[in-house]
Amino acid sequence: MASPQKEALFALIDEMIDAEVDVTKLRQHYPELKCNAIQKRFVRTFGSYHQGLVEYGLCASNGVPTDVEIARCFEITEDYAVITNEYQAASLRNLYALTEVEFVRLSRPIVDALWTDAIDEMYRDHFPFETISAEGLAQQFPHLRKHIERRYGAFKKLLSAYKTPYDRFISREHCGKAARMGRDFERKLGVILTAIYGQTAVDEDFRFNGCLPDFVVNGRVWIDAKLSRDTVRDKRCKTIEKYRPYAKSLRIYYARGSLEPLNISGVAIQHVSVLYPLLKRAGRHELVEDMESFVERVQTESRYWRVA
């Protein structure tokens, strides 16, 4: 014997049938608000509206849409976004008496696959990328960012999956911007070092045996500025290899990357923020704010498309 709650909902189905309502297609008869209210009552009692119809005796118990039917509820736009075809989705939900939650759960793997297809379409449409750079892609299709990161981990890994050299994506304009940021960081670091150690203690024109560090402090500490933490770890970077044999003390400060310090061959590689306490002690809070703003800008502009 059915519970009182089920009997009440069976009676509701009887009333709708008597009113000539097609109970398998509620949205053709009722506004969305009322449809949702009815389906929620069934969800609380039966687990789903469709299960309520099954127990009433109207529907077969295997009423689940196929992947192809679900895929028809979505489409990939010209700018490679996956959007819902609301008319198709509503029709499918009505056909199988699915709640919004059930529809989302069933469609999630289909939507994920469609985002992968969208990324693939973007890649194939723009290859060999002669007219647009990686930075341009990020600006033109920002909605692809999180899906590339979730699917591949990073844009560079996407390129690796397609066996495409990363250098192809670094345009002259992008390299120029990275170079300008690098020079800005070097200049700002010089101002910070001067504020901390004093004008006479910071030498910006030091040369020794072919070495040209960005700064030498108090005649013994060699300091080099790198825009990105990753630059130091790049095998093409020879700074440590070249300077270490001659420097009594070598330090490298960077603006972009993890705050976790590195130590390579005894050389301290640190985020510029380690200098903030010394600046504050010197009363130069405005330099801290200026560098924080710069670091935020660098991180934002290079978050997705790696700064070289």
Side-chain angles (χ1 to χ4, degrees):
M1 182 175 178
S3 67
Q5 292 86 355
K6 289 185 177 182
E7 289 292 349
L9 291 176
F10 290 155
L12 175 59
I13 294 175
D14 289 337
E15 292 174 8
M16 290 191 290
I17 293 175
D18 291 342
E20 298 185 352
V21 171
D22 184 344
V23 293
T24 64
K25 300 177 182 179
L26 289 184
R27 294 181 188 278
Q28 292 185 3
H29 302 273
Y30 298 128
E32 183 174 2
L33 191 61
K34 185 171 182 178
C35 285
N36 290 342
I38 292 173
Q39 289 178 343
K40 284 180 180 178
R41 290 182 62 189
F42 278 80
V43 168
R44 284 195 294 267
T45 302
F46 295 99
S48 72
Y49 179 74
H50 179 76
Q51 182 60 31
L53 297 184
V54 170
E55 294 194 26
Y56 182 87
L58 283 176
C59 296
S61 60
N62 60 347
V64 177
T66 65
D67 288 353
V68 173
E69 289 177 302
I70 295 174
R72 292 193 186 116
C73 298
F74 302 92
E75 56 189 71
I76 299 174
T77 65
E78 292 183 357
D79 64 343
Y80 315 108
V82 177
I83 63 172
T84 304
N85 182 318
E86 296 296 346
Y87 175 79
Q88 290 284 4
S91 298
L92 191 70
R93 288 195 299 269
N94 285 335
L95 180 62
Y96 289 93
L98 297 172
T99 66
E100 290 279 356
V101 173
E102 290 171 329
F103 177 74
V104 170
R105 177 177 57 79
L106 290 172
S107 63
R108 185 174 293 118
I110 309 299
V111 172
D112 287 344
L114 287 172
W115 274 111
T116 300
D117 290 344
I119 293 168
D120 184 74
E121 284 188 22
M122 178 277 293
Y123 188 92
R124 296 180 186 280
D125 286 350
H126 290 280
F127 187 85
F129 301 91
E130 294 176 345
T131 59
I132 188 169
S133 67
E135 185 181 22
L137 286 172
Q139 295 173 349
Q140 189 169 345
F141 311 118
H143 48 276
L144 288 178
R145 173 177 300 178
K146 68 176 182 179
H147 297 285
I148 289 177
E149 290 178 343
R150 184 170 62 183
R151 174 70 175 81
Y152 295 96
F155 184 71
K156 194 172 183 180
K157 291 182 179 179
L158 164 66
L159 300 185
S160 178
Y162 281 88
K163 302 186 184 307
T164 302
Y166 179 74
D167 291 346
R168 180 187 296 275
F169 287 80
I170 305 177
S171 68
R172 292 182 179 179
E173 177 185 0
H174 182 62
C175 287
K177 178 177 290 187
R180 288 193 299 273
M181 284 185 169
R183 289 193 295 269
D184 285 347
F185 177 60
E186 181 181 332
R187 178 182 57 79
K188 290 176 181 294
L189 181 60
V191 173
I192 286 175
L193 294 174
T194 299
I196 293 173
Y197 299 106
Q199 183 72 48
T200 58
V202 181
D203 187 353
E204 299 184 36
D205 300 308
F206 182 88
R207 294 174 183 270
F208 180 80
N209 204 24
C211 298
L212 183 61
D214 293 328
F215 311 98
V216 173
V217 176
N218 292 323
R220 61 178 302 277
V221 181
W222 292 23
I223 294 177
D224 211 55
K226 300 295 185 187
L227 183 64
S228 173
R229 182 179 192 260
D230 290 338
T231 301
V232 188
R233 305 178 69 177
D234 194 313
K235 293 181 179 179
R236 294 170 294 180
C237 179
K238 304 298 182 183
T239 299
I240 295 177
E241 178 183 330
K242 184 176 180 180
Y243 290 0
R244 191 168 177 271
Y246 307 107
K248 294 180 180 179
S249 177
L250 175 60
R251 300 175 190 171
I252 297 176
Y253 295 106
Y254 60 89
R256 174 183 178 268
S258 169
L259 300 182
E260 187 71 24
L262 288 174
N263 189 297
I264 299 178
S265 301
V267 176
I269 302 161
Q270 300 172 298
H271 190 268
V272 66
S273 59
V274 300
L275 297 174
Y276 293 170
L278 295 176
L279 278 175
K280 292 176 181 178
R281 193 180 305 166
R284 300 302 300 272
H285 297 272
E286 80 282 2
L287 294 182
V288 174
E289 293 176 359
D290 179 67
M291 182 57 77
E292 285 179 334
S293 176
F294 175 79
V295 168
E296 183 178 359
R297 181 162 59 89
V298 171
Q299 295 283 30
T300 298
E301 295 194 15
S302 61
R303 175 186 169 204
Y304 182 62
W305 311 111
R306 177 187 165 200
V307 173

